[in-house]
Amino acid sequence: MENKKYVPKKESMTFAIAALGQGLVYSCMSSYVTDYYMNVLALDAMFVILLMLLARVWDAINDPLMGMIVDRRTTKHGRMKPYAVATAIPIAILTILMFVNPGFDVQNKSIWLYVFVAVVYVAWGMIYTASDVPFWSLPNVMTPNPAERANIISYGRTVGGVGTAVTVALPIIVGYFVAGRDNADVLKYAIMAISMSLIGMPLFSTSSFAIKERIELPNSQRKDPGEPSTLSRIFSCKPLMLVVLSGILSFGRYMLQAAAPHVARYAGLYIGIDPATATVEQINKNISNVQLIIQVCAAIGMFGAMIFMPKLFKKFEYKHMMIVSCFGGFVASIFTLIIGWTTKNLLICIPFMIISAIPLGVINVVSYAMVCDCLDYMEWKTGFRNTALGSACQSFVNKLGNAFGTVAIILMYMIVNIDVSKLNVGSGQAVVEAVRNLTTTQNFAMFSLVTIVPGISLVLCAIPLFFYDIVGDKKKKITEELAVLREQRGITIGE
């Protein structure tokens, strides 16, 4: 079975295109929602922190529930596929609403603005879960071949990651057309959200039409007395819990891109200008340039790693790839911090910033492949395979990590006493003067958001993986014996 291929290239490509559509929308949200809330709507920082944390607490309940719902029944259209069509339009609408103020009073901070933001943010997370969990469960039912499954995931994550690259360039392109207009930032984010939603969600829904679910797993049965519950099986699966813990601890990887707009504004980094004499236009252009450099470096490092994943899969174990890349990223982040801060020259830091972003690509692909192996282990060990619930763990980890990264950014604002509501008041020149008056400590703290903070997070991420043991002969044994067990249980594998 290890050598047999089940999925034609056209089908793998369809999965990747659908992942691209999802990535366009998710990257738009995750990369810019904090900046939009903090610097456009100027919402209270504590409100944003509480919103992010409480929404993730709800996701802790919502994600496993969605996994159990998906695992329960197979429809005539498949078990995983129908959800992409059902959720595409709601996600598009909520993404647009997340970046468009329908008329609430921003200047006086109307209570209804806060209510609107909270409802849209939580609703977006719920509907996104209803699409994300079954979509990334699809590779589990497309093929029983672990190597082919890993390649499908790698291809999907790589092409899906193009959404990140697009959202890096989009603010610059859109910003060019809205520059000089009243409420330019408001227009920029509205155009970004609308365009990404209208392009991304139709692409995402293609997964429901051209992908085949070949492994027909039995529907969930009523639990017999004394039999472990679904959740207890998940929590007792040690390898899966190690992957989940590693994913949570890697929250800092999201900051390399999400913190870029904040670092560009407040870290005191300048490229080719003298901040003491620069005009407002030059300062604004510098902010765009710094943000672009940080985000492009992150994208290059991430994509460079993801492109080589299929070849690396043939030579190295998943855990070793994760551990080596995380420690390498940590070392590179230290060099970026030291060199960037002492020279004040961001351009010299470009090679180190790219290296520090390599773990983004490795984790982005390998963690999904490891979850699939953990589900194989659980099925081999217990006779049950909770595919969607296992994938829900990864979905929860991603959203929790994104929220922790966002909270870390906001906490840094509070720790070093940067009040954006005061910095963004007055004329353009007044704002520039306020930013110039930030202290060295405040500048350093903001720069750390894309250097040492993510670096420490990567080291923490690697620690649980030392105890992960689905590798080598054990993994091969699980794959071979699982094929026999499935045949004995009457589980069919379609062509």
Side-chain angles (χ1 to χ4, degrees):
M1 184 184 71
E2 285 191 6
N3 296 322
K4 183 177 179 180
K5 304 295 183 183
Y6 292 82
V7 183
K9 289 184 178 180
K10 183 178 179 180
E11 190 174 333
S12 296
M13 186 177 299
T14 299
F15 180 80
I17 290 172
L20 169 61
Q22 186 194 50
L24 289 172
V25 173
Y26 185 79
S27 295
C28 182
M29 184 284 298
S30 62
S31 296
Y32 301 110
V33 69
T34 311
D35 189 54
Y36 179 73
Y37 285 169
M38 294 284 291
N39 291 299
V40 177
L41 296 184
L43 299 177
D44 181 74
M46 185 55 68
F47 166 80
V48 178
I49 289 177
L50 291 176
L51 174 61
M52 300 288 180
L53 289 179
L54 292 176
R56 297 292 77 80
V57 169
W58 169 236
D59 276 338
I61 302 170
N62 191 31
D63 281 54
L65 281 177
M66 189 64 214
M68 289 187 282
I69 290 171
V70 174
D71 281 329
R72 192 166 296 162
R73 285 286 178 267
T74 298
T75 72
K76 64 179 180 178
H77 301 293
R79 178 170 294 195
M80 313 296 176
K81 296 193 299 180
Y83 293 93
V85 170
T87 58
I89 293 177
I91 289 175
I93 293 172
L94 288 167
T95 302
I96 293 170
L97 291 176
M98 190 178 291
F99 290 95
V100 174
N101 177 9
F104 296 108
D105 188 351
V106 175
Q107 295 298 324
N108 297 315
K109 300 297 180 295
S110 165
I111 185 63
W112 294 112
L113 172 63
Y114 285 94
V115 172
F116 171 77
V117 166
V119 170
V120 170
Y121 186 83
V122 173
W124 189 95
M126 292 174 62
I127 302 299
Y128 185 82
T129 291
S131 70
D132 192 53
V133 169
F135 178 73
W136 288 104
S137 299
L138 273 171
N140 283 278
V141 294
M142 290 170 68
T143 174
N145 184 332
E148 186 177 36
R149 183 177 62 201
N151 286 334
I152 291 171
I153 293 171
S154 177
Y155 190 34
R157 299 302 294 179
T158 302
V159 177
V162 173
T164 302
V166 171
T167 53
V168 168
L170 197 61
I172 300 167
I173 297 171
V174 177
Y176 174 80
F177 289 101
V178 301
R181 299 190 182 185
D182 292 337
N183 297 320
D185 279 344
V186 174
L187 285 173
K188 178 180 71 175
Y189 282 118
I191 293 171
M192 287 170 55
I194 293 170
S195 59
M196 292 300 93
S197 297
L198 295 182
I199 296 171
M201 285 299 98
L203 292 177
F204 176 66
S205 63
T206 60
S207 62
S208 288
F209 304 105
I211 291 175
K212 185 174 182 179
E213 297 185 17
R214 292 171 179 79
I215 303 177
E216 299 179 13
L217 297 171
N219 293 325
S220 298
Q221 303 295 322
R222 188 181 298 273
K223 186 173 75 72
D224 295 330
E227 182 182 293
S229 67
T230 301
L231 285 177
S232 67
R233 283 197 298 269
I234 289 290
F235 284 115
S236 62
C237 183
K238 180 182 174 182
L240 180 59
M241 291 299 100
L242 289 172
V243 175
V244 168
L245 178 59
S246 174
I248 293 173
L249 293 174
S250 72
F251 71 90
R253 62 190 166 111
Y254 296 97
M255 298 170 65
L256 286 172
Q257 290 181 312
H262 309 271
V263 175
R265 278 191 175 96
Y266 305 125
L269 299 173
Y270 300 97
I271 301 174
I273 64 171
D274 181 355
T277 58
T279 64
V280 173
E281 290 74 17
Q282 288 175 323
I283 293 292
N284 288 334
K285 184 177 181 180
N286 180 78
I287 290 172
S288 297
N289 290 338
V290 171
Q291 178 179 336
L292 177 63
I293 289 172
I294 295 172
Q295 292 185 320
V296 167
C297 287
I300 292 172
M302 180 175 69
F303 285 123
M306 293 168 72
I307 289 171
F308 287 101
M309 284 297 102
K311 292 184 178 179
L312 295 175
F313 284 160
K314 298 176 182 179
K315 297 182 179 181
F316 303 104
E317 299 286 359
Y318 296 156
K319 64 177 285 184
H320 298 149
M321 293 165 61
M322 291 271 280
I323 291 171
V324 171
S325 67
C326 284
F327 278 101
F330 169 68
V331 173
S333 72
I334 294 176
F335 277 102
T336 303
L337 179 67
I338 295 174
I339 295 173
W341 189 249
T342 54
T343 66
K344 299 295 184 180
N345 189 335
L346 193 63
L347 299 178
I348 298 177
C349 299
I350 287 177
F352 302 105
M353 287 193 290
I354 291 174
I355 295 172
S356 68
I358 288 176
L360 274 70
V362 176
I363 296 171
N364 207 16
V365 174
V366 174
S367 61
Y368 279 86
M370 293 176 79
V371 167
C372 292
D373 285 352
C374 292
L375 293 173
D376 282 350
Y377 170 84
M378 184 173 69
E379 185 181 356
W380 171 72
K381 189 96 171 171
T382 68
F384 294 90
R385 186 186 188 91
N386 303 110
T387 297
L389 182 56
S391 295
C393 294
Q394 185 64 36
S395 171
F396 168 65
V397 164
N398 288 343
K399 286 188 283 186
L400 187 66
N402 193 289
F404 281 173
T406 299
V407 169
I409 294 169
I410 299 169
L411 282 175
M412 190 63 79
Y413 273 98
M414 300 175 69
I415 290 170
V416 298
N417 197 29
I418 296 179
D419 188 346
V420 296
S421 64
K422 293 180 180 179
L423 289 174
N424 292 334
V425 172
S427 66
Q429 189 62 44
V431 172
V432 168
E433 292 299 330
V435 171
R436 284 177 182 153
N437 290 329
L438 291 175
T439 66
T440 301
T441 299
Q442 290 171 324
N443 292 151
F444 181 84
M446 299 309 291
F447 190 44
S448 72
L449 291 175
V450 292
T451 53
I452 192 62
V453 175
I456 292 173
S457 173
L458 291 174
V459 171
L460 296 176
C461 162
I463 293 173
L465 299 178
F466 284 100
F467 304 96
Y468 179 88
D469 65 350
I470 304 180
V471 296
D473 291 339
K474 182 175 181 177
K475 179 178 176 179
K476 183 177 180 181
K477 177 183 177 182
I478 291 171
T479 301
E480 292 173 348
E481 294 185 2
L482 185 57
V484 176
L485 292 171
R486 282 177 171 172
E487 186 175 351
Q488 293 173 351
R489 295 173 189 141
I491 297 176
T492 60
I493 308 294
E495 294 295 334

